[in-house]
Structure formats: C-alpha cells, structure tokens
Amino acid sequence: MEQYEVISMRQKQKLLKAVSLTVVSAIAALALLTGCGGDAGGSPTPPASSGNPASSTPSGGDGGSEPDPDPDPDPDEDKETLVTQDQIDWEYTTNGSGVTLTGYHSKSRSVLKLTGDVNIPETVGEGLKVTAIGDNLFRGCRNITKVTLPETITEIGYQAFQGCENLTSVNIPEGVTKIGSEAFYLCESLTSVKLPKSLTKLDQYGVFRSSGLTSIDLSGITEMGWAEFADCVSLSKVILSEELKVIPDGTFSGDEALTEITIPASVTTIETRAFDGTGLKTVHVPDTVKVLGNEVFAGCENLTEITLPSSMTEIPDFFLGATPSLKSVNIPAGVTKIGACAFLKSGIQKLNLPSGVTEIGERGFSQCMSLEEIYIPAGVKEMDESVFNEYNNNLKIYYGGDKDQLKYTRQYFSGYVSAPDWANKIEHKDTSPLSMLSLFSLF
C-alpha cells in the first residue's frame, strides 16, 4: 500500500513561533535604534502603570520571554512520519453532480506530503461521489509519480497537477468533459496521455504547456484554447481533428521536435504564433484557411518548403521571419501586402512579388543575406528605408515602375526621406524576369 510523508502540526507551530520571535526581536532592536520608547527624537513614551497591559508579566513567568505554550516532552514526535492511503482524509465541496476534491490531510490532522502513486477514491464521506478534481489540488507535488482517477470524474480543475514534475502516468477517464487551464503545466515527465472521447473541447489556456509529451492524438478535439501545447520540446507527433476550425494563438509554439504536421481541410483560421519556433520542415496550408495571424511560422529554422493558400491576400508581420533554411516560396497571386518583417532573416534567394502587391512593410526583407533577386511590381509607390536593411551585396531589385518616382519613408517620421543606399540596386523591368519562378525552381 502506498505511503506518504507527513509533517506534523507541532512542527508547523514551532516554525511559526520561531519566525514570530525573530520578527519581535527585530522590531525591538529597531525601536532602540530609532529612540522609540526613549527620550530621543519625538515625544517621550509615558511610563507604564499597573493598569497598562504592556507592563504586565505573563502568569507563571519571570518578566522575560513568554513560556512555550506547547511543550514537547517527546523528541521523536516532530519527526516526519508515514501514513497509508486509507489514513488520508479528503477535503471537498459539493457540486451539482457530486463533490469536488479541494484538499487533503492525514487523519491525525497533520500536513500531508504526497509521494509515489496516488489513487483518487470514487466516494468520500458518506458515499458522496467524487466527480471533480479541484483547482490547484496537487499543484507542486513534485514527488507524485502516478495518479489514478476514478471513472466518476468529469472535470479536472485549474492547475490541478501543475508542477508535478515527476508525474509519469495519469488516466483521464471516459466521462471527463473539461480540463482547466494549465492543469498539466510543467509536468515534465508526463510523456503520453490518452484523451477520452467525451472530451471534445480543450478550450482553456495551456493545459499541457511545457509538459513532456512526445505525441498526442487530438482527433476528437474540435476546439482548443491558446498555447495548449506550447513549449512541449519533446512533442514530435500530433494528430489534429478533421473537424477543427481554428488553431489558436501559440498552440504549438516552441515545440522544436515537431517536424511535420497535417493541417486538416476543416481549418479556416491559424492564429498568431501557432507554429513559431517549431521544427517543421515542410508545411502545406490548405486553401480552406482564410485567416493567418502574425508570426505563424516565425523561427522555424528547419523549414525548407511551404505551400500557402491561394486565398491569401496578405503576408502577415513576421510570418516567415527567421527561417534560414527556406530558400524559395511561391506567393499567391491575390496577395496585395507584404507585412512588416515578413521575411526578416529568412534564407530566401529569389522572390517574385505578384502584380497586385501595393505595400511592403518596414524591414520586410531586412537581413535576408541570401536574397539575390526580387521583383517588385509597379503598384508599390513607396517603401520604408528599412525594407532591405542589411542586404546581400549582390542583390538585384527589379522594379516594374519608374524607379525615379519611388518615394521612401521612415518609421515614425512624417514625410519622405532621401533614397537609402540599397536604392542603387534597383533597375527597371516592365515584367518580372522571375515570373516563372515556382516553389521547386531552385535545385
């Protein structure tokens, strides 16, 4: 039977008393230094009279320190002891379907330090059914290694297992319909978990964030909250639901072991930083995706190939920033705007901007040191001076309009500025010499 360490209440009382005495001593010392109660600095303190409680001596005392209110004749009583699971009292509150576990202690009322395997009972008290794990119930229990939940559980609360860094196994019973935010945040040893069919929404924040998961089957999850699996650095395999519509902010951000993923045709929106900093190598974004947020694939250092949806009208800010392995990309014909830092520090070598592009954001191609050729259509009438900040000396900029009519701006500055040095790289071309460039043309 599993055993648990106990810290006695007597130990807690002694610790609190020691802290209290230290604080009182510090205050007394400060009073002497500042003249409080003396004749220096400020009004003198009136002398204590027999009616002044401050002058009283505790009963049985000698005028010195207060006697120990809890003498401890047994020196072994304060040592940590062990209890078995049947010696645990569970604290709970009632809910609509049963009770929610909110805390625990040993039956001797000592503070309990859980270790090893923990089995949650189906009932507590007088046969009350346990249906929920309360908020923060096992938060920071670093020595728990396994948790067994009864089939009666339908809800797991906010940060219920947060920081259980040695937890390697937990079952989520069929019947669970809700898991609270950060329930398994920082469970670094938890490498796998099976989600029940009853759970269709993982709609709270960061449920498995920074956990040790290596794979996860989300085929039954149709709705997710943001950063659910962010910073799961060992996560390498993910299966998404064919009914999923939105991949929220930061869902897989920082998952460097994630090298591939299939985005279902059901997805219509991919929000900011959904895949930034992942290990993705190739990505196909289906045409069903109509909304793409900023930084979606930023920092994907291993990305070599990406297919963008034909419905795309804008390359968002930082969208493909810091992608040094990406040598080429085919920009959809409907794109009219290149966002700020959209290709910052990317490995792009040649790029043909569609004829409909009219705007290029600040630092759009800054620090693209591999960029050799780019075509900019005549619809672009002005550019920020930082667009090609830090460029390849061999860079060729082909422009469909009159380069002498191009105007240059500076961020946060009203009006136009003189042409930057990279303007000397511009040469007029009525049509793009790169018009046949495709995603596979650079081998």
Side-chain angles (χ1 to χ4, degrees):
M1 184 173 289
E2 190 65 34
Q3 294 184 318
Y4 303 93
E5 296 179 20
V6 172
I7 302 173
S8 71
M9 292 301 289
R10 193 182 305 279
Q11 283 179 300
K12 289 185 67 181
Q13 289 170 350
K14 283 195 168 185
L15 179 61
L16 289 172
K17 179 183 174 184
V19 172
S20 299
L21 289 175
T22 301
V23 172
V24 170
S25 299
I27 292 173
L30 182 61
L32 289 173
L33 289 172
T34 57
C36 294
D39 58 0
S43 303
T45 302
S49 65
S50 58
N52 187 344
S55 66
S56 302
T57 300
S59 176
D62 58 1
S65 61
E66 189 175 335
D68 188 348
D70 186 19
D72 185 11
D74 183 0
D76 293 326
E77 193 173 43
D78 281 342
K79 291 182 179 179
E80 290 189 1
T81 58
L82 296 173
V83 298
T84 55
Q85 177 131 348
D86 59 0
Q87 294 175 294
I88 298 174
D89 268 346
W90 295 95
E91 299 164 13
Y92 55 86
T93 57
T94 58
N95 57 46
S97 59
V99 298
T100 299
L101 296 186
T102 59
Y104 48 85
H105 54 264
S106 75
K107 291 188 177 180
S108 64
R109 304 302 296 180
S110 298
V111 177
L112 197 60
K113 182 180 179 182
L114 296 178
T115 63
D117 295 359
V118 175
N119 298 308
I120 306 300
E122 289 189 3
T123 61
V124 292
E126 298 182 0
L128 298 173
K129 184 169 66 172
V130 177
T131 60
I133 302 299
D135 296 347
N136 305 297
L137 183 58
F138 299 106
R139 178 180 177 181
C141 291
R142 296 191 176 104
N143 297 315
I144 290 178
T145 57
K146 180 180 179 180
V147 173
T148 303
L149 301 177
E151 295 301 314
T152 54
I153 296 292
T154 61
E155 183 175 338
I156 298 172
Y158 167 74
Q159 294 186 350
F161 298 95
Q162 186 194 68
C164 295
E165 58 189 37
N166 290 304
L167 179 65
T168 60
S169 174
V170 62
N171 67 305
I172 301 179
E174 193 63 50
V176 169
T177 58
K178 182 179 180 180
I179 302 179
S181 296
E182 298 185 328
F184 297 95
Y185 176 41
L186 289 172
C187 291
E188 299 169 356
S189 300
L190 187 64
T191 59
S192 65
V193 66
K194 183 179 180 181
L195 301 180
K197 293 179 181 178
S198 57
L199 186 69
T200 60
K201 293 182 179 181
L202 209 58
D203 56 355
Q204 304 298 306
Y205 162 73
V207 172
F208 291 98
R209 183 183 175 198
S210 298
S211 69
L213 291 178
T214 58
S215 64
I216 187 72
D217 184 348
L218 301 172
S219 57
I221 303 298
T222 60
E223 186 176 334
M224 292 191 289
W226 59 290
E228 298 292 19
F229 302 93
D231 299 317
C232 293
V233 295
S234 299
L235 186 62
S236 61
K237 184 178 181 181
V238 174
I239 299 174
L240 296 175
S241 168
E242 295 293 336
E243 297 179 25
L244 183 67
K245 295 185 182 302
V246 178
I247 301 178
D249 290 3
T251 301
F252 300 104
S253 176
D255 295 354
E256 56 192 40
L258 187 63
T259 58
E260 60 180 337
I261 193 167
T262 299
I263 300 174
S266 58
V267 174
T268 60
T269 301
I270 302 178
E271 295 181 344
T272 300
R273 300 184 62 195
F275 296 101
D276 85 306
T278 60
L280 290 174
K281 295 180 179 180
T282 62
V283 176
H284 172 72
V285 183
D287 287 343
T288 54
V289 175
K290 307 298 181 185
V291 179
L292 284 158
N294 296 334
E295 304 177 63
V296 170
F297 298 104
C300 293
E301 297 183 353
N302 298 320
L303 186 64
T304 60
E305 182 180 321
I306 184 168
T307 305
L308 301 175
S310 59
S311 57
M312 203 171 187
T313 59
E314 174 184 348
I315 306 295
D317 296 351
F318 291 94
F319 186 71
L320 288 167
T323 52
S325 301
L326 186 65
K327 306 304 180 185
S328 64
V329 63
N330 188 30
I331 307 293
V335 168
T336 61
K337 178 183 176 180
I338 306 297
C341 303
F343 292 90
L344 175 73
K345 293 185 178 181
S346 75
I348 293 293
Q349 294 177 345
K350 298 182 180 181
L351 192 63
N352 181 55
L353 299 186
S355 59
V357 171
T358 59
E359 182 179 350
I360 302 175
E362 296 86 3
R363 303 184 70 192
F365 301 98
S366 178
Q367 299 179 64
C368 291
M369 305 309 292
S370 297
L371 185 60
E372 299 173 352
E373 296 179 275
I374 184 171
Y375 176 76
I376 300 173
V380 177
K381 303 297 183 184
E382 59 183 53
M383 286 187 283
D384 190 90
E385 62 180 359
S386 67
V387 166
F388 292 100
N389 186 32
E390 295 184 49
Y391 54 88
N392 182 340
N393 287 332
N394 297 318
L395 174 64
K396 294 180 180 179
I397 303 172
Y398 305 120
Y399 179 52
D402 183 350
K403 67 176 185 178
D404 294 329
Q405 298 301 312
L406 260 178
K407 293 182 172 59
Y408 302 95
T409 59
R410 180 177 297 158
Q411 193 175 16
Y412 310 123
F413 179 80
S414 178
Y416 296 111
V417 298
S418 4
D421 56 0
W422 52 260
N424 295 323
K425 301 284 186 178
I426 299 175
E427 58 180 283
H428 172 74
K429 293 284 185 181
D430 286 325
T431 58
S432 171
L434 310 173
S435 58
M436 299 305 293
L437 183 67
S438 71
L439 189 61
F440 305 102
S441 63
L442 296 175
F443 285 101

